[in-house]
């Protein structure tokens, strides 16, 4: 049992009567601002309702560790809120849960532990399941253990339950039952999974596979329309930028800080040229992406963390089958991306590769920004671009964005937005390259600004 003597002081009001809109789902692609929308709605609701905080934010480990704890600080109207990071080892989780905050963020893998730790003293009035498809495996008596653990409190201890996802049914409509049960305890899609399955599905002609009945999609959508909000089809003339921040492992962070101090000492007070400044920072940017270069042999490298690879995997999952272009800066990055995603294809010099991408033959295209070039149109192949890391060459970055950007999408006859995901290691020179990419500073000025911030 956790020590709750000082936990959530003055934040555990009596239970009020539930209303229908207390349990909803928001379906929107990554980059549409699900986190800021949710926090803003809860903050506004807390003005007139007493049963909003404390809130529990569930998500994949990267999302739970980086997205929710940092979200309030990124918006001026939310900076009075605090979301505690409750990922990590046992002692770290306990300290975070016993700290004072409006929200507490934890990864799905810790759900069993969390439910057991609190028992009947479950304190969270609101639960937000980010990437709620992780709950699709819920069953009343079987299914995934973490979803079953959450099911114990979803309708007995929780005032509000909110599902967030960009891909509500990536593997078919069957995945909706477990998520929806957390919202309405089976009122809309059936009290049990068997009832849901028997109503809208049947065995395939082979006698083993399951297929949905012709009326299933229309009826299920009709059942869910009063508790689900879908954000789609926005007409935009600019790309939608989505910055994904990751944290370096503690041992890598220590090494990075030492290397950063050495570089800053070397360039501080010296008016070096932009080219030399960029060259001196290259080693830090490589380490931020996961690659450590040997001091004695610049060709000898070792891979020291997967933080950005994990973030890239999250983007791919949310893309729900939509092909993704990944722009890399360093050869080691490319090698490890291709290793993590075996179906990815590296863009070379063969012009036929562009046609194959646009024809949907590659689920992921991996390329250095130099390879995109002027005049290439990659829009038909997809509308998702990921920068695994950013460099100092602004023109290369902008050209990469343009290859499948809004204008190219329109030229291809596609009325859809263009997404640019930028994976950044927090408190590293990645943030300085972002400043450069946003056109706010030269290479030298971005480095000097980073020095001052440190």
């Amino acid at each position: 049992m956790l020590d709750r003597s000082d936990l959530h002081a003055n934040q555990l009001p009596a239970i009020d009567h539930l209303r229908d809109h207390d349990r909803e789902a928001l379906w929107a692609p990554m980059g549409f601002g699900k986190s800021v929308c949710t926090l803003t709605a809860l903050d506004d609701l807390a003005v007139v309702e007493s049963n909003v905080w404390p809130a529990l934010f569930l998500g994949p480990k990267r999302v739970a560790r980086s997205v929710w704890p940092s979200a309030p600080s990124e918006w001026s109207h939310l900076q009075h809120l605090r979301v505690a990071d409750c990922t990590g080892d046992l002692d770290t989780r306990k300290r975070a849960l016993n700290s004072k905050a409006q929200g507490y963020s934890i990864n799905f893998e810790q759900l069993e532990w969390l439910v057991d730790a609190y028992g009947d003293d479950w304190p969270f009035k609101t639960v937000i399941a980010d990437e709620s498809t992780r709950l699709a495996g819920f069953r009343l008596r079987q299914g995934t253990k973490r979803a079953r653990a959450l099911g114990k409190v979803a309708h007995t201890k929780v005032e509000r339950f909110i599902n967030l996802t960009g891909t509500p049914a990536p593997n078919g409509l069957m995945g909706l039952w477990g998520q929806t049960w957390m919202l309405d305890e089976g009122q809309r899609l059936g009290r049990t999974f068997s009832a849901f399955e028997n109503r809208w599905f049947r065995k395939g002609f082979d006698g083993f596979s399951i297929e949905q009945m012709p009326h299933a999609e229309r009826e299920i959508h009709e059942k869910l329309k009063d508790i689900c909000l879908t954000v789609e089809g926005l007409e935009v003339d600019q790309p939608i930028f989505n910055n994904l921040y990751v944290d370096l492992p503690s041992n890598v962070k220590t090494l990075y800080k030492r290397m950063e101090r050495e570089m800053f000492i070397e360039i501080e007070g010296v008016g070096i040229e932009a080219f030399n400044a960029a060259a001196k920072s290259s080693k830090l940017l490589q380490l931020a992406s996961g690659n450590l270069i040997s001091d004695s042999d610049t060709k000898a490298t070792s891979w020291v963390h997967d933080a950005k690879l994990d973030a890239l995997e999250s983007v791919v999952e949310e893309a729900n089958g939509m092909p993704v272009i990944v722009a890399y800066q360093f050869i080691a990055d490319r090698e490890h991306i291709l290793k993590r995603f075996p179906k990815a294809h590296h863009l070379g010099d063969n012009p036929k590769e562009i046609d194959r991408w646009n024809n949907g033959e590659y689920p992921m295209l991996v390329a250095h920004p130099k390879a995109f070039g002027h005049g290439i149109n990659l829009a038909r192949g997809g509308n998702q671009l990921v920068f695994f890391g950013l460099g100092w060459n602004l023109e290369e970055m902008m050209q990469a964005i343009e290859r499948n950007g809004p204008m190219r999408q329109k030229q291809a006859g596609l009325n859809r937005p263009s997404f640019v995901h930028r994976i950044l290691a927090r408190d590293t020179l990645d943030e300085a390259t972002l400043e450069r990419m946003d056109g706010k500073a030269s290479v030298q000025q971005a480095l000097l600004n980073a020095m001052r911030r440190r």
Side-chain angles (χ1 to χ4, degrees), residues 153-329:
V153 298
H155 296 285
T156 58
K157 305 287 186 181
V158 176
E159 296 285 319
R160 289 181 174 81
F161 203 108
I162 301 170
N163 284 338
L164 302 176
T165 181
T167 55
N171 298 312
L173 294 176
M174 275 195 171
L176 291 175
W177 184 84
Q179 300 174 70
T180 306
W181 188 93
M182 298 293 174
L183 303 179
D184 68 357
E185 203 172 6
Q187 292 179 27
R188 290 167 178 80
L189 298 185
R191 181 73 177 81
T192 66
F193 180 78
S194 295
F196 168 70
E197 187 177 33
N198 291 336
R199 181 169 181 177
W200 284 297
F201 299 88
R202 64 191 177 194
K203 286 188 177 181
F205 289 111
D206 58 10
F208 298 99
S209 62
I210 300 295
E211 63 182 20
Q212 66 187 46
M213 296 182 187
H215 57 86
E217 185 169 353
R218 174 180 53 81
E219 292 183 1
I220 290 174
H221 286 181
E222 181 68 21
K223 290 281 187 182
L224 298 181
K225 69 179 184 180
D226 66 320
I227 58 169
C228 294
L229 174 66
T230 303
V231 180
E232 61 181 9
L234 295 184
E235 295 185 6
V236 292
D237 294 324
Q238 297 295 326
I240 297 172
F241 289 94
N242 178 38
N243 295 333
L244 296 169
Y245 286 91
V246 302
D247 293 302
L248 300 180
S250 57
N251 60 323
V252 178
K253 187 180 297 185
T254 300
L255 175 61
Y256 181 92
K257 293 298 182 184
R258 178 176 61 80
M259 292 172 57
E260 184 182 54
R261 284 195 301 270
E262 293 174 358
M263 188 200 75
F264 282 170
I265 290 172
E266 186 176 355
I267 69 174
E268 188 173 16
V270 179
I272 60 175
E273 295 179 355
F275 175 80
N276 290 330
K280 290 180 182 296
S281 69
S282 178
K283 195 169 184 178
L284 289 174
L285 293 175
Q286 293 184 60
L287 182 57
S289 289
N291 184 36
L292 179 62
I293 300 176
S294 170
D295 289 325
S296 56
D297 182 359
T298 56
K299 293 184 179 181
T301 64
S302 57
W303 196 255
V304 292
H305 72 81
D306 288 343
K308 288 195 175 185
L309 287 171
D310 294 341
L312 177 57
E313 192 166 293
S314 295
V315 175
V316 173
E317 288 178 358
E318 284 214 25
N320 190 24
M322 175 64 73
V324 175
I325 301 175
V326 182
Y328 68 90
Q329 286 295 315

Side-chain angles (χ1 to χ4, degrees), residues 8-21:
H8 320 309
N10 301 319
Q11 295 182 7
L12 299 177
I15 295 177
D16 294 333
H17 185 67
L18 288 176
R19 299 192 304 274
D20 288 342
H21 67 264

Side-chain angles (χ1 to χ4, degrees), residues 61-130:
K61 191 170 185 178
R62 182 198 63 79
V63 174
R65 175 176 290 175
S66 301
V67 175
W68 289 104
S70 63
S73 64
E74 296 172 0
W75 301 89
S76 58
H77 69 290
L78 297 175
Q79 291 186 0
H80 60 286
L81 298 179
R82 178 175 178 265
V83 177
D85 175 7
C86 303
T87 62
D89 59 30
L90 180 60
D91 289 339
T92 301
R93 295 198 299 271
K94 286 183 176 181
R95 283 195 301 271
L97 286 165
N98 282 293
S99 65
K100 292 185 178 181
Q102 287 76 29
Y104 300 82
S105 180
I106 198 166
N107 48 310
F108 284 107
E109 290 79 3
Q110 300 299 340
L111 264 174
E112 283 186 274
W113 170 84
L114 188 70
V115 173
D116 290 342
Y118 278 112
D120 292 335
D121 294 327
W122 179 265
F124 305 106
K125 301 303 181 185
T126 302
V127 171
I128 298 92
D130 198 353

Side-chain angles (χ1 to χ4, degrees), residues 74 241-245 285 308 329 387 389-394 397-398 401 420-443 445-447 449-450 453-454:
E74 296 172 0
F241 289 94
N242 178 38
N243 295 333
L244 296 169
Y245 286 91
L285 293 175
K308 288 195 175 185
Q329 286 295 315
F387 283 98
L390 302 179
W392 294 113
N393 192 315
L394 184 59
M397 301 296 106
M398 300 311 296
I401 292 173
V420 179
H421 310 283
R422 301 182 286 199
I423 304 177
L424 309 165
R426 200 187 312 276
D427 297 326
T428 71
L429 283 187
D430 275 356
E431 295 172 337
T433 60
L434 178 63
E435 186 177 12
R436 166 67 173 157
M437 186 172 176
D438 286 343
K440 298 175 183 176
S442 64
V443 175
Q445 188 60 50
L447 279 170
N449 291 345
R453 286 194 296 268
R454 301 290 190 270

